[in-house]
Amino acid sequence: MNIRRMLLELGLSAVAGYVGTKAMEPVSMKLYQLEPTEAREREDAVRPGAPYFIAAEKLTRLYGLDLSEDQLQRLSMALHYGLAIQWAALYPPLRRRTQWSPVVSGLATGAAMSIIADELMTPAFGFSAPNLDYPLVVHARGFAAHLVFGLAVAAAVEGGRTLVAASTRSRP
């Protein structure tokens, strides 16, 4: 792979990670609203807070930083979107090496993020309660939302590739 293509893929992935998160968030909220009241109440009772905010708090303590609430909130959003941007970089090589369709590659990207980041890393680092504390519907909601993330990543990367190819062809 040449350096130009790699940089293009990284740039497209960064945009795609942002787009994927923006697509995933309203889906996750809507699915949360559709959950049974008992499941929402149980989740709310055991959930210590937003995982990315807890990560920001833990990191600032680890480094001995004293941030204001506003600074912590901004750092937590940077961590939230930063993870998505980094994760989206999985899509281009997955698509290229497997020859899977954009849909399958996008679903695989989203599923991997759900399983590895949400189900394994988040509780392991103490950014959430243990998995078994949450109702099954919470895990299903997270998985479905991450599938949307993966599909949006695929659409953004493939759309970006199409735009770049069209602009390259139209140059004199």
Side-chain angles (χ1 to χ4, degrees):
M1 170 186 282
N2 67 37
I3 197 85
R4 184 177 180 281
R5 182 174 175 185
M6 183 184 74
L7 291 173
L8 173 64
E9 286 188 355
L10 288 174
L12 289 174
S13 295
V15 170
Y18 178 82
V19 168
T21 302
K22 286 299 192 182
M24 179 181 82
E25 289 171 343
V27 170
S28 183
M29 286 308 301
K30 185 61 179 175
L31 292 173
Y32 173 80
Q33 293 167 358
L34 295 172
E35 288 176 11
T37 303
E38 308 80 45
R40 285 195 316 264
E41 289 173 353
R42 182 169 159 206
E43 176 186 10
D44 293 344
V46 300
R47 186 174 192 233
Y52 40 89
F53 192 82
I54 295 168
E57 288 177 320
K58 286 186 173 206
L59 282 171
T60 57
R61 274 197 306 271
L62 180 68
Y63 288 103
L65 301 173
D66 186 25
L67 301 183
S68 69
E69 192 70 23
D70 184 55
Q71 290 170 319
L72 265 176
Q73 190 61 39
R74 281 186 276 158
L75 175 59
S76 75
M77 293 314 293
L79 294 174
H80 180 58
Y81 283 98
L83 175 63
I85 288 167
Q86 290 174 356
W87 205 274
L90 170 66
Y91 174 83
L94 181 66
R95 170 101 163 87
R96 188 176 54 255
R97 291 182 181 253
T98 63
Q99 301 298 307
W100 290 343
S101 72
V103 169
V104 172
S105 297
L107 291 172
T109 299
M113 185 178 193
S114 179
I115 293 165
I116 296 169
D118 263 17
E119 298 296 329
L120 298 175
M121 290 171 47
T122 300
F125 291 133
F127 302 155
S128 72
N131 285 337
L132 293 177
D133 288 357
Y134 294 97
L136 182 58
V137 69
V138 172
H139 299 284
R141 178 186 77 227
F143 191 76
H146 282 92
L147 292 179
V148 170
F149 168 84
L151 290 173
V153 164
V157 170
E158 297 299 332
R161 284 180 177 163
T162 300
L163 289 173
V164 169
S167 71
T168 304
R169 284 192 303 269
S170 67
R171 287 189 189 158

